[in-house]
Amino acid sequence: MGMGRPREFDAETALDQAMEVFWRHGYEGATIAQLTEAMGINPPSLYACFGNKEGLLKAALDRYSKLRGVWMDEVVAAPTAREVAERMLLGIADKQTDPANPPGCLLVQGGIACGTGSENVPFELAARRAENEDQLRDRFIRAKAEGDLKPTSDPAALARYVSAVSVGMGVMASSGSDREALRQVASVAVQAVEAQSVGRT
Amino acid sequence: MGMGRPREFDAETALDQAMEVFWRHGYEGATIAQLTEAMGINPPSLYACFGNKEGLLKAALDRYSKLRGVWMDEVVAAPTAREVAERMLLGIADKQTDPANPPGCLLVQGGIACGTGSENVPFELAARRAENEDQLRDRFIRAKAEGDLKPTSDPAALARYVSAVSVGMGVMASSGSDREALRQVASVAVQAVEAQSVGRT
DNA sequence: CCACATCTGTAGTGAACACTACATATCTGG
DNA sequence: CCAGATATGTAGTGTTCACTACAGATGTGG
């Protein structure tokens, strides 16, 4: 038995284009017509490869999380909790205003509130954000064990805090805030982590 | 000339119901059928009273901003910048997890990313958020003039920061974070404002 | 070269959407 | 009580949506 006609497009390249459309218009705001045009394929190819619109979103999120994960590994490699927060938030300020991508963060722009039939999309995004938060929390737990964070500090709360600031910055970026404004927010935000650090300079 | 048949529903009560639908499903996710059912009226009444779907959203936002403005006045009445931030963020933690309302904040849930034809909705929401930020900024400018905030502090950046944290908390609330989690975020966030304060205890 | 499997493009499908025409009902001013 | 004006309920309108049937194209294994 034969193996059939080979696909004429590259799935990852197409996913990058789809990611951009979801990023810019959100899950519900993105139409199949926009997606297929950006991906350079026709609807049947999309459905054969990704199942349906939600399957395409999940594939795009997988790709986004993968790239993001590499960067997060560099972030948590910083020597102190304060520097982790600084690297993360200042880095996010730059990433979310990078003209190479739509403004903001796909994990926020993708869909915060959705209509009937797409209720699980916001939870899907939240689950991805939670992964980042978990990674931060683990890093802050280590920082506390190393005596870098105060014995009274709450690593989970700190991680939630940094995650919340990231999300807030993403919304600001998508509604027009420029890089300098986001960097200012990041700088102020880092001071809360610094206040929980032991050897503050 | 007569004045016509009087309307049989109360516009403000109907707006409250519409507000809840937009809050829960977002602008694009909310359908006219859901809105009219929640408001207890039929489509022609909705269109006669509010023009179109976007007009209804703006009316709901006006109402939301009005209620919110009353509360913000109480917030900025706190004696110090630190207490302003604390009142604001802890209050938001409670409000965004109040079971009487959908979780989160209408100014975020309403629509962060929208599809073609609704591009201005996110900007409309951003403009409302900016009003709160301006109010905070003015309060922090005063705090700096009063010697409550350090001479090196940047009131505008502080206001942006508090606003960003609020938004981030709203997203967290809408994706299932409970009140305690939000309060922890608020507590950490306040420490950044405290770090900019003069008489820190 | 043939049977088979998979992809691709065209051209739709039914459903859901925002919005409205129209007839009827209920008010005010004279 | 009548004329004008506005609201209401029924029942649609055209459009757009996610998704797909189908026929032809292009590959592999025998």
Side-chain angles (χ1 to χ4, degrees), chain B residues 151-166:
Chain B
T152 55
S153 65
D154 182 342
L158 268 183
R160 255 198 294 271
Y161 163 75
V162 172
S163 183
V165 174
S166 306

Side-chain angles (χ1 to χ4, degrees), chain A residues 195 200, chain B residues 82 148 150 191 194-201:
Chain A
R200 39 175 153 161
Chain B
R82 196 202 91 100
D148 171 24
K150 288 182 180 171
Q191 299 183 22
E194 190 166 351
Q196 293 296 324
S197 298
V198 168
R200 36 175 155 163
T201 52

Side-chain angles (χ1 to χ4, degrees), chain A:
Chain A
M1 339 103 185
M3 286 167 64
R5 176 175 177 176
R7 123 173 356 128
E8 294 183 359
F9 64 96
D10 177 58
E12 290 208 329
T13 305
L15 261 186
D16 283 338
Q17 307 305 317
M19 196 170 77
E20 165 136 357
V21 175
F22 282 133
W23 198 334
R24 200 173 294 278
H25 298 292
Y27 175 74
E28 292 193 306
T31 68
I32 298 291
Q34 287 174 323
L35 289 163
T36 52
E37 188 186 348
M39 298 167 84
I41 61 177
N42 289 309
S45 299
L46 190 159
Y47 285 89
C49 190
F50 301 105
N52 56 16
K53 191 182 177 185
E54 195 168 335
L56 176 61
L57 175 71
K58 286 183 182 171
L61 290 177
D62 284 339
R63 186 156 169 76
Y64 186 81
S65 295
K66 196 175 165 188
L67 299 175
R68 176 93 161 210
V70 173
W71 179 71
M72 278 298 292
D73 289 341
E74 298 172 16
V75 166
V76 299
T80 66
R82 196 202 91 99
E83 281 171 282
V84 167
E86 189 171 41
R87 240 188 237 189
M88 166 120 179
L89 294 173
L90 283 176
I92 280 184
D94 287 355
K95 281 174 162 291
Q96 289 179 341
T97 54
D98 183 348
N101 296 322
C105 169
L106 174 62
L107 302 187
V108 174
Q109 297 296 309
I112 293 303
C114 279
T116 310
S118 310
E119 296 92 345
N120 45 334
V121 168
F123 290 108
E124 185 72 29
L125 299 186
R128 312 279 178 153
R129 294 193 301 266
E131 290 176 12
N132 284 350
E133 186 182 312
D134 289 347
Q135 205 170 349
L136 271 181
R137 188 201 53 205
D138 292 345
R139 179 62 184 82
F140 288 153
I141 287 175
R142 199 189 96 196
K144 185 174 176 179
E146 289 173 345
D148 170 25
L149 284 172
K150 288 182 181 172
T152 55
S153 66
D154 182 343
L158 268 183
R160 256 198 292 272
Y161 163 75
V162 172
S163 184
V165 174
S166 306
V167 170
M169 288 170 63
V171 173
M172 287 179 55
S174 74
S175 55
S177 292
D178 63 10
R179 180 165 291 183
E180 188 52 35
L182 293 191
R183 281 185 175 155
Q184 287 178 349
V185 170
S187 295
V188 175
V190 168
Q191 298 183 21
V193 178
E194 190 167 352
Q196 293 296 323
S197 299
V198 168
R200 39 175 153 161
T201 52

Side-chain angles (χ1 to χ4, degrees), chain B residues 88-168:
Chain B
M88 167 121 179
L89 294 173
L90 284 176
I92 279 184
D94 287 356
K95 282 174 160 292
Q96 289 179 341
T97 55
D98 183 348
N101 296 322
C105 169
L106 175 61
L107 301 188
V108 174
Q109 297 296 308
I112 292 304
C114 279
T116 310
S118 309
E119 296 93 345
N120 45 332
V121 167
F123 290 108
E124 185 72 29
L125 299 187
R128 312 279 177 154
R129 293 194 301 268
E131 290 176 12
N132 284 350
E133 188 183 309
D134 288 347
Q135 206 170 348
L136 273 180
R137 188 202 52 204
D138 292 345
R139 179 63 184 84
F140 288 153
I141 287 175
R142 199 189 95 196
K144 185 174 177 180
E146 290 172 345
D148 171 24
L149 283 172
K150 288 182 180 171
T152 55
S153 65
D154 182 342
L158 268 183
R160 255 198 294 271
Y161 163 75
V162 172
S163 183
V165 174
S166 306
V167 169

